[in-house]
Amino acid sequence: MLSYAADEDIEICPATIPYLEQWMIAIADKLGIPEHELTPTTYYLVDQATSQELCEGGDLSIHCADHVDGQVNVYAYHPMNRHELVHAVTAGTKVGPPFLEEGLATLLDDGVPVDLMPSIDAEDLDDLIELQDPRDQLDVYGVAAYILYWVAQRHGLEALAQLRFAVEAPTSAAAFRAAFEATLGESLDEMLAEVEGQPGCQLVTCIGEPTPWVDGQWTTYSPTGCEGGAIGVRQPEGDHILRHAIVEIAETGIYEISTPSHGVFLDACEQPCSFNHSFGLSVGSHDYPLAAGRYRVETWSAGPGQPTYDVQIRLAE
């Protein structure tokens, strides 16, 4: 389903493609797309200038996904651009207006942990809904993702698929609002009034089974290369290698988390933003409130020849 194209001097970690394929299948499941309907995708890892040239968007277009003759071609200079992989997942099905498609891709892109807290100007919202080229108004990414986050939280993940298939492209703001209310049973304005001031989060898709606890402690280790299920690439200008480990928190409480390194991220697996949903952990040992559920711990390689480091979690005393 997914293949990778890169220069000969770039090493793709063996676990990368299987991991991203599993991730794409999980995204498809969220959107009600059967696995057999996914479009074959080739990911072209290119430099920034080439990506901008191929995506025909000048400085504003740094990556893109083209659907041509039953094949999706992703062009990006980031080795795992999950925003474009979401577009690849939806390419073979009904494609909605940019407001919906870019909103979904932003919401489901968990490659960079960012809270979605845009300022929504009611007077401009209709313009964003009717937008034909998202590069004309970049606010569309955050605003649409914020709205779709609350659709998912209030009505379930299946509502994202229902809304997507209910809206035709191109659409008018009036038609979008009518489809929104008919599909979800509440108006867009009513929903926004109720959630005003509350943060939105990206939906994190966790792949793999939890790492077991040992004697009351959970531990993961940073990658030192491509071994041990690490994902990413080794390239002349610097490695881009990370590891995702899943921790199962059995009970809500205060947990002591320790790490000697910056760049460690803790992400809740599709849980509501009842706490700081996605954040970089502070160096040292600190207490964090965690709700019961699964979390993803992301660690990064410190580079060739650099030692590994561990991340430890235990219930605070």
Side-chain angles (χ1 to χ4, degrees):
M1 179 184 70
L2 178 67
S3 57
Y4 219 100
D7 292 339
E8 291 183 357
D9 58 352
I10 295 177
E11 176 189 356
I12 312 300
C13 292
T16 303
I17 292 177
Y19 180 92
L20 292 177
E21 286 185 329
Q22 291 179 55
W23 187 87
M24 293 172 70
I25 291 168
I27 293 296
D29 185 63
K30 295 180 194 297
L31 299 177
I33 301 171
E35 181 180 346
H36 69 267
E37 292 185 10
L38 293 178
T39 306
T41 299
T42 300
Y43 193 112
Y44 291 92
L45 180 61
V46 295
D47 59 41
Q48 184 171 352
T50 302
S51 181
Q52 289 175 340
E53 179 183 354
L54 292 170
C55 294
E56 300 179 350
D59 292 340
L60 291 180
S61 187
I62 58 175
H63 45 251
C64 58
D66 291 336
H67 186 201
V68 181
D69 297 330
Q71 164 79 27
V72 175
N73 298 319
V74 171
Y75 302 105
Y77 63 85
H78 185 289
M80 292 182 291
N81 188 303
R82 282 169 242 175
H83 181 104
E84 299 306 330
L85 290 178
V86 176
H87 286 314
V89 167
T90 62
T93 63
K94 176 182 180 292
V95 177
F99 185 84
L100 276 180
E101 298 302 322
E102 297 301 341
L104 279 173
T106 303
L107 176 65
L108 297 173
D109 171 12
D110 58 15
V112 180
V114 178
D115 289 338
L116 300 168
M117 302 178 63
S119 174
I120 299 177
D121 187 333
E123 295 181 359
D124 294 334
L125 181 55
D126 285 358
D127 290 339
L128 295 181
I129 291 172
E130 296 179 351
L131 198 64
Q132 294 302 303
D133 188 337
R135 292 170 296 190
D136 292 340
Q137 289 181 265
L138 298 183
D139 286 348
V140 69
Y141 294 92
V143 170
Y146 181 81
I147 287 173
L148 295 180
Y149 169 79
W150 283 107
V151 168
Q153 291 303 312
R154 293 162 73 86
H155 302 283
L157 284 170
E158 64 276 4
L160 296 176
Q162 293 169 0
L163 182 61
R164 180 170 178 265
F165 280 93
V167 177
E168 297 297 328
T171 189
S172 67
F176 178 88
R177 290 174 178 275
F180 188 99
E181 187 165 0
T183 302
L184 304 175
E186 66 174 336
S187 74
L188 176 59
D189 291 337
E190 288 171 345
M191 187 190 79
L192 291 177
E194 286 195 31
V195 305
E196 183 178 5
Q198 300 182 53
C201 299
Q202 288 170 296
L203 298 184
V204 175
T205 301
C206 295
I207 301 300
E209 293 301 313
T211 300
W213 291 66
V214 178
D215 297 330
Q217 180 172 288
W218 182 91
T219 305
T220 188
Y221 298 90
S222 68
T224 55
C226 287
E227 298 78 16
I231 58 177
V233 302
R234 307 195 75 165
Q235 49 194 349
E237 58 267 34
D239 293 347
H240 184 106
I241 299 176
L242 62 147
R243 173 177 288 123
H244 284 162
I246 308 300
V247 56
E248 183 88 47
I249 299 297
E251 59 180 289
T252 299
I254 304 299
Y255 287 80
E256 179 185 351
I257 307 179
S258 61
T259 175
S261 176
H262 293 285
V264 177
F265 290 92
L266 178 73
D267 299 282
C269 300
E270 298 166 359
Q271 295 164 222
C273 293
S274 56
F275 77 110
N276 192 349
H277 174 88
S278 177
F279 55 94
L281 298 173
S282 299
V283 172
S285 183
H286 302 274
D287 290 348
Y288 297 92
L290 299 180
R294 289 188 177 188
Y295 295 79
R296 185 181 72 191
V297 179
E298 180 176 286
T299 55
W300 286 81
S301 169
Q306 297 299 311
T308 187
Y309 58 87
D310 61 8
V311 179
Q312 300 176 348
I313 302 177
R314 64 186 65 85
L315 190 63
E317 297 181 355

